[in-house]
Amino acid sequence: MKKAEETILETVPEGSSIYELVRTGFAKKKFRLLDMLFDETLTLTRAVGQLKDKEAYFLVTSGNHAELVTVSGDSISEREDATAEAAGKKTFALGGYRYKRYRKIR
């Protein structure tokens, strides 16, 4: 388990769902078409690339509330309300970036 996962599991209350996210900038139509043709392989490549980054992104949902949590190193660096943007969606846009649910942690 990564340090970011341990940090998020320690700070989030029990009963909340936690999803690891892949963050990307807004892609052009050509890139999205290629990604669909290759069955999301390019998205997987980005996810592996994020493993090397120092920040990790998580979506924490509890009831009707959703929150985007950014973990840097061993601490949470940012929390942002994402209830309207992420409600029941696999991908959502927030703050100039597109986020995609990569895997469910809890």
Side-chain angles (χ1 to χ4, degrees), residues 64-84:
N64 293 333
H65 181 72
E67 186 176 38
L68 174 66
V69 179
T70 304
V71 178
S72 297
D74 292 340
S75 63
I76 293 176
S77 62
E78 186 178 348
R79 289 178 178 254
E80 190 170 352
D81 183 41
T83 304

Side-chain angles (χ1 to χ4, degrees), residues 5 8-13 15-21 57-62 69 103-106:
E5 289 179 24
I8 198 81
L9 286 172
E10 290 172 0
T11 57
V12 171
S16 298
S17 297
I18 304 170
Y19 298 92
E20 185 175 7
L21 301 174
Y57 307 96
F58 299 94
L59 180 68
V60 178
T61 59
S62 178
V69 179
R103 68 184 176 106
K104 185 172 183 176
I105 296 175
R106 179 177 66 182

Side-chain angles (χ1 to χ4, degrees), residues 2-3 6 11 13 20 22 26 33 45-47 51 53 63-64 69-70 73 78 87-88 90 100 102 105-106:
K2 297 187 306 183
K3 287 183 183 180
E6 292 173 2
T11 57
E20 185 175 7
V22 175
F26 287 107
L33 180 63
T45 304
R46 282 195 200 117
L51 292 175
D53 290 344
N64 293 333
V69 179
T70 304
E78 186 178 348
K90 189 171 180 178
K100 181 175 184 177
Y102 178 61
I105 296 175
R106 179 177 66 182

